[in-house]
Amino acid sequence: MAAVRVRLELNKTWEREVLRSHGVRDLVTVHTETVRTVAVGLAPRASMAKNDWTAIKNNISTAVALDATSWRGNVVVEEDRRVFHALWQDLDGGWRDRKGGRHRGNRFLKRALERARAE
């Protein structure tokens, strides 16, 4: 890996300039992708053989955007309106299916954030 020279002048807006730099964007992208990868790995699956377009793991993506102050990374769960069951899987109290059966939530998104935070 090549050495990189950086010149940093400390003035009133130095923090904003650093947080809006391309290096910070790359770091935010890497960490956001890590959270997404862990969330896909922990997402509940109906079947290992079946890989539907509605599967939770196929509907988790990332978005990195420049805010007014810095780069922000978001893990987007099911942006397609026709697929909305992942958030039901993640509720604290669980959820009820159409027949009235109760299912407990498994909080896979919370565990993905905790694993990414610990590493």
Side-chain angles (χ1 to χ4, degrees):
M1 186 169 225
V4 178
R5 296 186 120 198
V6 176
R7 182 178 173 181
L8 179 64
E9 292 182 17
L10 296 178
N11 55 20
K12 290 182 180 180
T13 62
W14 73 269
E15 192 172 46
R16 178 180 291 171
E17 292 171 10
V18 170
L19 292 176
R20 294 174 64 92
S21 69
H22 293 293
V24 172
R25 180 192 62 194
D26 296 340
L27 285 172
V28 169
T29 303
V30 166
H31 288 291
T32 305
E33 190 61 34
T34 302
V35 173
R36 188 199 71 80
T37 303
V38 173
V40 167
L42 294 174
R45 291 170 173 75
S47 169
M48 292 303 263
K50 189 176 178 183
N51 191 8
D52 259 352
W53 69 272
T54 61
I56 295 172
K57 68 177 186 170
N58 294 335
N59 289 289
I60 298 176
S61 60
T62 59
V64 177
L66 184 60
D67 196 352
T69 58
S70 64
W71 289 96
R72 307 283 178 174
N74 293 318
V75 177
V76 181
V77 180
E78 296 177 344
E79 59 188 340
D80 189 349
R81 291 179 153 263
R82 297 176 294 173
V83 185
F84 60 89
H85 58 285
L87 297 179
W88 290 109
Q89 295 280 340
D90 211 41
L91 288 175
D92 288 341
W95 55 285
R96 291 185 183 270
D97 59 11
R98 290 182 182 174
K99 294 181 181 178
R102 189 137 181 80
H103 303 274
R104 66 180 189 85
N106 60 5
R107 301 180 190 168
F108 72 96
L109 295 172
K110 181 179 178 183
R111 287 185 301 170
L113 287 172
E114 287 172 350
R115 281 194 188 171
R117 180 185 66 194
E119 293 176 357

